[in-house]
Each structure stands twice: as C-alpha cells, then as structure tokens.
Amino acid sequence: MSLFKNIFSSKKKENLDKGLEKSKASFFSKLGKAVAGKSKVDDDVLDNLEEVLVSSDVGVATTLKIIDRIEARVSKDKYMGTEELNVILREEIAGLLSETNLGEETEISLPMGVKPYVIMVVGVNGVGKTTTIGKLAYQLKAQGYKVVLGAADTFRAAAIDQLQVWADRVDVPIVKQNMGSDPASVAFDTLSSAITQEADVVIIDTAGRLHNKVNLMNELAKVKRVMQKVVEDTPHEVLLVLDGSTGQNAFEQARQFTKATEVTSLAVTKLDGTAKGGVVIGISDQFQIPVKYIGVGEGIEDLQVFNKYEFVDSFFNTSV
C-alpha cells in the first residue's frame, strides 16, 4: 500500500518499532481477547474493539470515529472476518489521520528566509521538556544550523542547570540568568545574543507549571511581547511537550496549554517506556495541531520527526 512506503531510514524505523513494543504488545493482547471465539466482525466485536481502543488511550472521540469507519466498511462488505481486523484497523486509522496534512514530514526542516527561527517550548515539569530541547538542538546542529538556547524557566534552579548540561553536551551556546529572574528578560537577552551570533535557530525553555492558568498565560504573553521587541512575529513556533506515558492526562495538559497560549506544534515523549502509545493517534486526530516529534528512546537521536504513516505502520506491524 502506497501509504506505507519506506520513507524512514532503516535505523529510524528500527528504533520506532522498538519504541512502540510495549504499546503494541498491550494492544494486541487486548485485541486478541476482544475477538476470541469470533470469526466475523459483528456488533459484539465492535463493542469490544471500542473498549480496546479507549483503554489503549486513543481517546473516546477518536475511537468513535474509527468505529464508525469500520462499521461503514462492514456494512458495505457484508462479511468481514476477524482475522482481517488488524489490516482494517491499520488502513482506517491511517485514513482518518490522512484527512489532514499533519504529520507527513520525515526530517526536521525550518522555513526558508526566517533567521533566527524562534521556538518557544512549553509543558509541565517532568514531561521531558529539557531533554527534548537538548535532542532537538543536537539534531538541528547536526544538519548545519547554528543553535542558541535560552533558559527562561527561571522558576527552578534545576531547570537552568539541566539545560546547561545539554548545552555543554551538544556544544551550543546558552543564555541564562539566576533562578527567580524575569523569564522575559532571559528571552530578550537570548534573542539579542542570537542576532549578534547570526544564529539560525533559537530555542527558549519556559516554566513548567500549570497550577494557575492565568499566571501561566500572563507570563507566556509577556515573554512573547518582549521577544517581539527584538524580532517581529516571534515566537515562530510554540512547541508543547507531552509525556505519552501519562495517557489521558496528556490530553488534559494539551487542552490546558492550548487555552493558555497559542500552541502550534506538539512533541510526545517517553513512548518507549509505556503501553499508552495510542495516545499519539488520539492527540494527532483531536487537536488538529501537528504532532511534530515523538520520543521513542533515551538515545540522543531517539527524538524522531513524527510521520503518521510510519507510526501507524509500526504500531500495527506484528512481524517485528
């Protein structure tokens, strides 16, 4: 099927397959029980399938869309054996995600003529925000871009220290101030420094707390206003990092942050350590914000550009 042509390098595909192992094992175990003793896809099988998808963190709204698509197909084909269900699921989920043009990239790319390209990264503490920034900086540098990091999460000293560790590891410059400093001031200094250094990309870390949405909204709005004094129309991208292992909590964080600021892209991390990989399907479908990156391992190259076709292919490929 053309949707599933090999568009990743074999190494990336291998890492993706490995990263989704726990999710696949859990899903297919549940699916096996759902169709046990059944030879035909009927109402009982569809009810059980609905439960499997919801319990696999695909999300209720997306699950209902998938069930509707399969019901329409069963009605059209009159008879559908349960042994076909894996292939049908793969095709219908790919078809559902194909209704938008999101998640079709295969490599990190930046728009032409925008320099410096400014990415503001948001997300609660513990989701892998700093690690994502570090891995993204590494991959951008490897592609020849000059990257500058900004430590605007001044709420925690640990956040500044962690970003410094990544800056040293990747060997890119970092702009920082002391804990408790004004985040907007750090962002201002970072952009000013990036222009002086003729940097291609600026990645700004921000405070990872959501205890008070109004305060968060005001803080992020201030950071944006101050950055725009240095570079117009910044940030060019607001990247929300979500922990895939939290399942439905990731949906809730996405809802809260999209209310607090204009999120333009998503990164879903820690998929290798969880059976909740289905959350990527639901988030990709429901928020109509591109899932741009997924984390499928601890290695520095295990932050991958999310491609929906490769993801669905790996998720439903039982031969690996």
Side-chain angles (χ1 to χ4, degrees), residues 18-307:
K18 186 176 180 181
L20 294 178
E21 278 178 355
K22 290 185 179 179
S23 295
K24 288 163 61 174
S26 173
F27 180 81
F28 284 107
S29 172
K30 293 174 183 175
L31 185 62
K33 293 173 184 174
V35 300
K38 295 278 190 177
S39 60
K40 179 183 176 183
V41 177
D42 56 17
D43 289 344
D44 286 343
V45 168
L46 289 172
D47 286 345
N48 291 340
L49 177 60
E50 183 176 325
E51 189 176 322
V52 168
L53 290 167
V54 171
S55 67
S56 298
D57 291 280
V58 171
V60 174
T62 303
T63 291
L64 293 176
K65 288 183 185 179
I66 294 167
I67 295 297
D68 284 347
R69 293 175 77 105
I70 294 176
E71 280 182 334
R73 195 155 163 179
V74 170
S75 176
K76 179 183 175 184
D77 294 350
K78 302 304 178 186
Y79 180 87
M80 187 178 292
T82 52
E83 72 279 358
E84 301 173 68
L85 204 49
N86 176 23
V87 174
I88 295 159
L89 273 168
R90 176 196 285 204
E91 292 175 356
E92 294 305 328
I93 290 173
L96 178 66
L97 298 183
S98 295
E99 291 176 359
T100 73
N101 60 2
L102 310 179
E104 294 182 349
E105 299 294 327
T106 58
E107 298 292 341
I108 294 174
S109 60
L110 300 179
M112 298 287 290
V114 181
K115 183 177 178 178
Y117 184 74
V118 181
I119 305 169
M120 185 168 79
V121 184
V122 300
V124 300
N125 296 330
V127 296
K129 185 159 56 83
T130 309
T131 301
T132 298
I133 292 170
K135 291 179 178 180
L136 183 57
Y138 166 80
Q139 294 193 29
L140 286 165
K141 185 183 177 187
Q143 290 188 22
Y145 293 111
K146 189 170 185 179
V147 184
V148 174
L149 303 183
D153 182 355
T154 59
F155 188 69
R156 297 183 306 131
I160 300 171
D161 293 343
Q162 287 164 6
L163 198 62
Q164 179 69 66
V165 168
W166 273 105
D168 293 342
R169 183 178 178 186
V170 179
D171 192 24
V172 295
I174 181 173
V175 176
K176 61 181 182 177
Q177 295 179 13
N178 295 326
M179 178 184 170
S181 300
D182 181 3
S185 173
V186 178
F188 182 92
D189 287 352
T190 304
L191 263 64
S192 299
S193 176
I195 289 172
T196 301
Q197 297 179 62
E198 298 185 344
D200 300 298
V201 192
V202 177
I203 308 177
I204 305 280
D205 190 14
T206 62
R209 60 195 193 280
L210 197 59
H211 68 282
N212 186 321
K213 193 171 67 185
V214 174
N215 285 350
L216 176 73
M217 191 182 300
N218 291 340
E219 182 175 292
L220 295 178
K222 182 182 177 184
V223 170
K224 286 183 178 182
R225 284 197 307 273
V226 170
M227 283 197 294
Q228 287 168 4
K229 293 179 180 178
V230 187
V231 180
E232 283 188 66
D233 301 322
T234 53
H236 302 107
E237 181 177 338
V238 179
L239 175 66
L240 170 61
V241 182
L242 301 168
D243 180 349
S245 70
T246 62
Q248 291 305 296
N249 194 36
F251 279 87
E252 186 54 33
Q253 287 176 26
R255 288 188 191 97
Q256 293 299 322
F257 269 97
T258 50
K259 289 176 184 175
T261 191
E262 186 181 354
V263 175
T264 60
S265 61
L266 303 170
V268 184
T269 65
K270 305 183 185 181
L271 292 174
D272 55 306
T274 182
K276 299 177 181 290
V279 73
V280 176
I281 297 169
I283 285 175
S284 180
D285 169 56
Q286 287 182 42
F287 286 94
Q288 297 299 293
I289 297 170
V291 175
K292 200 165 185 179
Y293 307 106
I294 53 174
V296 293
E298 295 181 3
I300 200 165
E301 295 185 353
D302 287 334
L303 180 73
Q304 293 192 359
V305 172
F306 172 66
N307 180 282

